[in-house]
Amino acid sequence: MTTDQVVTDPVETRPMTVDPVAADAVAADAVETNPMTAGDRLFQEAFDALPLMAILRGFDPQRTVEVSRRAWEVGIRLVEVPVQSDAAVRALEAAVAAGEERGAVVGAGTVTTLDRVEQAVAAGARFTVAPGFSREIAEASLAAGLPHLPGVATATEIQQAQALGLTWLKAFPAADLGSGWITSMAGPFPEARFVATGGMGLKNTLEFLDAGAAAVSLGSALADPAQFERLPELIAHIDRKA
Protein backbone atom coordinates (compact mmCIF):
# COMPACT_ATOMS: atom_id res chain seq x y z
CA MET A 1 0.00 0.00 0.00
CA THR A 2 1.31 3.46 -0.81
CA THR A 3 0.16 6.75 0.65
CA ASP A 4 -1.11 8.05 -2.65
CA GLN A 5 -3.47 5.16 -3.35
CA VAL A 6 -6.93 6.41 -4.27
CA VAL A 7 -10.06 5.00 -5.86
CA THR A 8 -10.02 5.96 -9.53
CA ASP A 9 -13.51 5.04 -10.67
CA PRO A 10 -14.72 7.76 -13.04
CA VAL A 11 -17.25 10.25 -11.74
CA GLU A 12 -20.63 9.64 -13.34
CA THR A 13 -23.21 12.23 -14.27
CA ARG A 14 -26.38 11.66 -12.23
CA PRO A 15 -29.84 13.21 -12.28
CA MET A 16 -30.77 15.90 -9.79
CA THR A 17 -33.99 14.16 -8.76
CA VAL A 18 -34.87 10.70 -7.52
CA ASP A 19 -37.57 8.54 -9.11
CA PRO A 20 -39.33 6.83 -6.16
CA VAL A 21 -41.09 4.36 -8.48
CA ALA A 22 -37.77 2.97 -9.65
CA ALA A 23 -36.21 2.67 -6.21
CA ASP A 24 -37.53 -0.78 -5.33
CA ALA A 25 -36.51 -2.16 -8.72
CA VAL A 26 -33.00 -0.73 -8.36
CA ALA A 27 -32.51 -2.33 -4.96
CA ALA A 28 -33.99 -5.65 -6.09
CA ASP A 29 -31.84 -5.79 -9.21
CA ALA A 30 -28.73 -5.13 -7.14
CA VAL A 31 -29.50 -8.12 -4.92
CA GLU A 32 -30.73 -10.55 -7.57
CA THR A 33 -28.34 -9.96 -10.46
CA ASN A 34 -25.07 -9.05 -8.77
CA PRO A 35 -24.11 -10.27 -5.30
CA MET A 36 -21.20 -7.80 -5.33
CA THR A 37 -22.92 -4.47 -5.94
CA ALA A 38 -21.22 -1.23 -6.98
CA GLY A 39 -21.51 -0.08 -3.39
CA ASP A 40 -19.89 -3.26 -2.13
CA ARG A 41 -17.00 -2.77 -4.55
CA LEU A 42 -16.48 0.88 -3.64
CA PHE A 43 -16.32 0.21 0.09
CA GLN A 44 -14.51 -3.14 -0.19
CA GLU A 45 -11.71 -1.84 -2.39
CA ALA A 46 -11.20 1.29 -0.30
CA PHE A 47 -11.16 -0.53 3.03
CA ASP A 48 -9.02 -3.40 1.73
CA ALA A 49 -6.34 -0.77 1.11
CA LEU A 50 -6.76 0.79 4.56
CA PRO A 51 -9.73 0.21 6.91
CA LEU A 52 -10.15 3.87 7.83
CA MET A 53 -12.55 6.57 6.67
CA ALA A 54 -12.33 10.30 7.33
CA ILE A 55 -15.33 12.27 8.63
CA LEU A 56 -14.94 16.02 8.26
CA ARG A 57 -17.77 17.75 10.08
CA GLY A 58 -18.18 21.46 10.75
CA PHE A 59 -15.24 22.80 8.74
CA ASP A 60 -15.35 25.62 6.20
CA PRO A 61 -14.55 24.68 2.58
CA GLN A 62 -10.86 25.61 2.83
CA ARG A 63 -10.31 23.61 6.01
CA THR A 64 -12.30 20.69 4.62
CA VAL A 65 -10.05 20.50 1.58
CA GLU A 66 -6.94 20.81 3.75
CA VAL A 67 -7.93 17.93 6.02
CA SER A 68 -9.16 15.85 3.06
CA ARG A 69 -5.72 16.11 1.53
CA ARG A 70 -4.19 14.99 4.82
CA ALA A 71 -6.39 11.92 4.71
CA TRP A 72 -5.50 11.08 1.11
CA GLU A 73 -1.80 11.57 1.78
CA VAL A 74 -1.75 8.93 4.52
CA GLY A 75 -3.68 6.45 2.36
CA ILE A 76 -7.28 6.97 3.49
CA ARG A 77 -9.40 6.53 0.37
CA LEU A 78 -12.84 7.61 1.52
CA VAL A 79 -13.73 11.06 2.87
CA GLU A 80 -17.20 11.82 4.25
CA VAL A 81 -18.43 15.41 4.56
CA PRO A 82 -21.72 15.67 6.52
CA VAL A 83 -24.30 17.96 4.89
CA GLN A 84 -26.41 19.15 7.81
CA SER A 85 -26.35 22.80 6.65
CA ASP A 86 -25.92 24.95 3.54
CA ALA A 87 -22.39 25.78 4.66
CA ALA A 88 -21.65 22.07 4.94
CA VAL A 89 -22.89 21.49 1.39
CA ARG A 90 -20.41 24.09 0.17
CA ALA A 91 -17.67 22.26 2.06
CA LEU A 92 -18.72 19.02 0.36
CA GLU A 93 -18.58 20.69 -3.05
CA ALA A 94 -15.06 21.93 -2.32
CA ALA A 95 -13.89 18.49 -1.18
CA VAL A 96 -15.42 16.84 -4.25
CA ALA A 97 -13.62 19.30 -6.54
CA ALA A 98 -10.31 18.68 -4.74
CA GLY A 99 -10.88 14.93 -4.93
CA GLU A 100 -11.58 15.01 -8.64
CA GLU A 101 -8.13 16.50 -9.20
CA ARG A 102 -6.53 13.33 -7.87
CA GLY A 103 -9.25 10.73 -8.50
CA ALA A 104 -10.27 10.56 -4.83
CA VAL A 105 -13.73 9.59 -3.60
CA VAL A 106 -15.80 11.95 -1.44
CA GLY A 107 -19.23 11.16 0.00
CA ALA A 108 -22.00 13.02 1.78
CA GLY A 109 -22.79 12.27 5.42
CA THR A 110 -25.81 12.93 7.66
CA VAL A 111 -28.07 12.27 4.67
CA THR A 112 -31.37 12.04 6.52
CA THR A 113 -33.85 13.58 4.04
CA LEU A 114 -34.66 13.29 0.36
CA ASP A 115 -33.53 16.90 -0.07
CA ARG A 116 -30.12 15.93 1.25
CA VAL A 117 -29.93 13.03 -1.19
CA GLU A 118 -30.50 15.52 -4.00
CA GLN A 119 -27.93 17.91 -2.51
CA ALA A 120 -25.42 15.06 -2.41
CA VAL A 121 -26.08 14.24 -6.05
CA ALA A 122 -25.82 17.88 -7.10
CA ALA A 123 -22.54 18.32 -5.20
CA GLY A 124 -20.98 15.32 -6.96
CA ALA A 125 -20.82 13.01 -3.94
CA ARG A 126 -19.94 9.40 -4.76
CA PHE A 127 -21.73 7.80 -1.79
CA THR A 128 -24.06 8.71 1.07
CA VAL A 129 -23.94 7.99 4.79
CA ALA A 130 -26.73 8.28 7.37
CA PRO A 131 -26.77 8.08 11.17
CA GLY A 132 -29.70 5.66 11.10
CA PHE A 133 -31.57 3.35 8.76
CA SER A 134 -34.38 4.71 6.58
CA ARG A 135 -35.68 2.59 3.72
CA GLU A 136 -36.82 5.76 1.92
CA ILE A 137 -33.39 7.38 2.09
CA ALA A 138 -31.54 4.18 1.21
CA GLU A 139 -33.73 3.53 -1.83
CA ALA A 140 -33.47 7.14 -2.99
CA SER A 141 -29.70 7.06 -2.75
CA LEU A 142 -29.45 3.76 -4.61
CA ALA A 143 -31.86 5.00 -7.28
CA ALA A 144 -29.62 8.04 -7.76
CA GLY A 145 -26.63 5.78 -8.28
CA LEU A 146 -24.96 6.46 -4.94
CA PRO A 147 -23.90 3.58 -2.66
CA HIS A 148 -25.44 4.05 0.78
CA LEU A 149 -23.95 3.39 4.22
CA PRO A 150 -26.81 3.41 6.75
CA GLY A 151 -26.40 3.62 10.49
CA VAL A 152 -27.48 0.58 12.49
CA ALA A 153 -27.56 -0.17 16.21
CA THR A 154 -29.94 -3.16 16.43
CA ALA A 155 -30.43 -6.55 14.83
CA THR A 156 -33.74 -5.33 13.37
CA GLU A 157 -32.03 -2.45 11.56
CA ILE A 158 -29.36 -4.79 10.20
CA GLN A 159 -32.04 -7.11 8.80
CA GLN A 160 -33.90 -4.22 7.22
CA ALA A 161 -30.74 -2.90 5.58
CA GLN A 162 -29.74 -6.31 4.31
CA ALA A 163 -33.20 -6.76 2.80
CA LEU A 164 -32.23 -3.93 0.43
CA GLY A 165 -28.96 -5.63 -0.45
CA LEU A 166 -26.83 -3.40 1.78
CA THR A 167 -23.80 -5.25 3.11
CA TRP A 168 -21.73 -2.35 4.40
CA LEU A 169 -23.30 -0.82 7.50
CA LYS A 170 -22.34 1.99 9.85
CA ALA A 171 -22.26 0.83 13.49
CA PHE A 172 -23.37 3.98 15.27
CA PRO A 173 -22.69 5.24 17.87
CA ALA A 174 -19.86 2.72 18.05
CA ALA A 175 -18.17 3.88 21.24
CA ASP A 176 -21.48 3.69 23.10
CA LEU A 177 -22.37 0.33 21.59
CA GLY A 178 -18.94 -1.04 22.49
CA SER A 179 -16.62 -3.31 20.56
CA GLY A 180 -18.46 -6.32 21.93
CA TRP A 181 -21.51 -5.31 19.89
CA ILE A 182 -19.48 -5.87 16.71
CA THR A 183 -18.49 -9.35 17.81
CA SER A 184 -22.02 -10.23 18.90
CA MET A 185 -23.63 -9.12 15.64
CA ALA A 186 -21.08 -11.02 13.55
CA GLY A 187 -22.66 -14.26 14.76
CA PRO A 188 -26.15 -13.89 13.30
CA PHE A 189 -24.98 -11.58 10.48
CA PRO A 190 -21.65 -12.97 9.20
CA GLU A 191 -22.04 -11.25 5.82
CA ALA A 192 -22.40 -7.77 7.36
CA ARG A 193 -19.43 -5.41 7.16
CA PHE A 194 -19.49 -2.85 9.95
CA VAL A 195 -17.84 0.57 9.82
CA ALA A 196 -17.44 1.65 13.45
CA THR A 197 -18.40 5.32 13.73
CA GLY A 198 -18.96 7.70 16.63
CA GLY A 199 -16.49 8.30 19.44
CA MET A 200 -13.69 6.62 17.51
CA GLY A 201 -10.07 7.74 17.84
CA LEU A 202 -6.51 6.54 17.96
CA LYS A 203 -7.02 4.82 21.32
CA ASN A 204 -9.88 2.50 20.37
CA THR A 205 -9.50 1.92 16.63
CA LEU A 206 -7.47 -1.28 16.99
CA GLU A 207 -9.87 -2.58 19.64
CA PHE A 208 -12.80 -2.33 17.23
CA LEU A 209 -10.86 -3.76 14.29
CA ASP A 210 -9.79 -6.70 16.46
CA ALA A 211 -13.44 -7.19 17.47
CA GLY A 212 -14.41 -7.65 13.83
CA ALA A 213 -15.15 -4.16 12.49
CA ALA A 214 -14.34 -3.97 8.79
CA ALA A 215 -13.35 -0.31 9.10
CA VAL A 216 -13.33 2.67 11.45
CA SER A 217 -14.32 6.28 10.79
CA LEU A 218 -12.04 8.94 12.23
CA GLY A 219 -12.60 12.67 12.68
CA SER A 220 -10.47 14.43 15.28
CA ALA A 221 -7.46 12.22 14.57
CA LEU A 222 -7.13 14.00 11.24
CA ALA A 223 -8.06 17.54 12.28
CA ASP A 224 -5.98 17.71 15.48
CA PRO A 225 -2.25 18.16 14.71
CA ALA A 226 -1.17 16.28 17.84
CA GLN A 227 -3.26 13.25 16.96
CA PHE A 228 -2.39 13.43 13.28
CA GLU A 229 1.30 13.11 14.15
CA ARG A 230 0.51 9.76 15.77
CA LEU A 231 -1.71 8.49 12.94
CA PRO A 232 1.17 6.87 10.98
CA GLU A 233 1.91 4.72 14.02
CA LEU A 234 -1.70 3.48 14.05
CA ILE A 235 -1.56 2.78 10.32
CA ALA A 236 1.66 0.82 10.79
CA HIS A 237 -0.06 -1.32 13.45
CA ILE A 238 -2.95 -1.95 11.07
CA ASP A 239 -0.59 -2.92 8.24
CA ARG A 240 1.25 -5.38 10.48
CA LYS A 241 -2.05 -7.07 11.38
CA ALA A 242 -3.20 -7.30 7.73
Side-chain angles (χ1 to χ4, degrees):
M1 183 190 72
T2 61
T3 58
D4 60 352
Q5 285 179 301
V6 294
V7 174
T8 57
D9 291 343
V11 176
E12 300 177 356
T13 301
R14 303 183 179 92
M16 285 286 295
T17 59
V18 174
D19 179 2
V21 176
D24 284 331
V26 169
D29 287 345
V31 176
E32 293 176 4
T33 65
N34 187 3
M36 174 68 82
T37 67
D40 288 336
R41 285 194 296 273
L42 185 149
F43 294 126
Q44 187 73 55
E45 291 174 5
F47 292 135
D48 276 351
L50 182 64
L52 299 176
M53 182 163 74
I55 302 179
L56 310 183
R57 183 187 298 276
F59 300 135
D60 62 30
Q62 181 178 351
R63 179 66 169 159
T64 298
V65 169
E66 176 187 334
V67 181
S68 294
R69 287 174 174 155
R70 281 187 180 181
W72 298 325
E73 286 166 3
V74 298
I76 295 175
R77 291 191 171 195
L78 300 184
V79 168
E80 172 195 340
V81 180
V83 290
Q84 69 273 24
S85 68
D86 291 341
V89 173
R90 291 192 292 273
L92 171 62
E93 292 170 344
V96 167
E100 287 177 348
E101 294 176 358
R102 58 190 297 162
V105 175
V106 178
T110 317
V111 178
T112 55
T113 67
L114 293 178
D115 284 344
R116 288 182 181 179
V117 174
E118 293 193 0
Q119 287 176 325
V121 173
R126 292 284 304 281
F127 62 93
T128 58
V129 184
F133 175 77
S134 163
R135 181 182 179 92
E136 179 183 50
I137 299 304
E139 288 181 335
S141 185
L142 295 174
L146 277 66
H148 185 60
L149 185 68
V152 296
T154 68
T156 298
E157 291 170 335
I158 296 171
Q159 285 184 253
Q160 290 172 337
Q162 289 187 332
L164 291 180
L166 300 175
T167 300
W168 286 86
L169 309 171
K170 169 180 170 177
F172 180 81
D176 292 332
L177 292 171
S179 59
W181 183 94
I182 302 288
T183 305
S184 296
M185 290 302 177
F189 304 107
E191 65 281 4
R193 299 291 177 265
F194 296 110
V195 181
T197 308
M200 303 304 299
L202 300 182
K203 292 183 178 180
N204 58 0
T205 290
L206 291 177
E207 173 190 344
F208 275 77
L209 291 176
D210 288 343
V216 169
S217 293
L218 297 175
S220 60
L222 292 163
D224 176 43
Q227 292 191 62
F228 184 75
E229 287 182 1
R230 295 161 47 211
L231 186 57
E233 181 180 350
L234 171 64
I235 293 174
H237 277 293
I238 293 172
D239 286 342
R240 285 196 293 270
K241 288 176 174 289

